[in-house]
Amino acid sequence: KDQDGWGDNKREEDSLTITNIPKLKASWRQLLRDSVLLTLQNYATDLKSEQDLLGNKEVYTKLSWREQQALQVRYGQKMILHQLLELT
């Protein structure tokens, strides 16, 4: 905590928030973008597939409760990642 400026007096402009991402150096934005793209590649399906499943009530209701929850979590994660892509 005492090293490298880590402490309780963090300035807001130094924090990684949605509003500050566009203000990052280009190299940091590129690193973030590359990380997001690599993470998205780890999913077996894309965002559109998840949206289609969520929108199809007949198929969705046939999923177990656990599968429904997993689908919603994956969809949320992918939405966040796509929002990060837009900001970078």
Side-chain angles (χ1 to χ4, degrees), residues 59-73:
V59 174
Y60 183 78
T61 55
K62 289 181 182 177
L63 298 174
S64 70
W65 179 85
R66 208 177 179 133
E67 291 170 323
Q68 290 174 356
Q69 297 304 303
L71 174 61
Q72 290 177 21
V73 168

Side-chain angles (χ1 to χ4, degrees), residues 15-78:
S15 65
L16 187 59
T17 62
I18 294 293
T19 56
N20 287 341
I21 289 174
K23 300 173 191 172
L24 292 173
K25 291 182 191 178
S27 60
W28 285 97
R29 284 194 319 272
Q30 186 61 47
L31 177 65
L32 184 57
R33 182 176 186 75
D34 291 345
S35 298
V36 168
L37 291 171
L38 283 172
T39 303
L40 285 170
Q41 288 177 3
N42 287 322
Y43 287 102
T45 58
D46 61 359
L47 181 64
K48 177 80 169 93
S49 299
E50 307 293 358
Q51 287 172 330
D52 292 344
L53 275 174
L54 284 169
N56 187 336
K57 297 293 182 195
E58 185 178 323
V59 174
Y60 183 78
T61 55
K62 289 181 182 177
L63 298 174
S64 70
W65 179 85
R66 208 177 179 133
E67 291 170 323
Q68 290 174 356
Q69 297 304 303
L71 174 61
Q72 290 177 21
V73 168
R74 282 193 316 270
Y75 177 74
Q77 290 170 339
K78 290 175 187 179

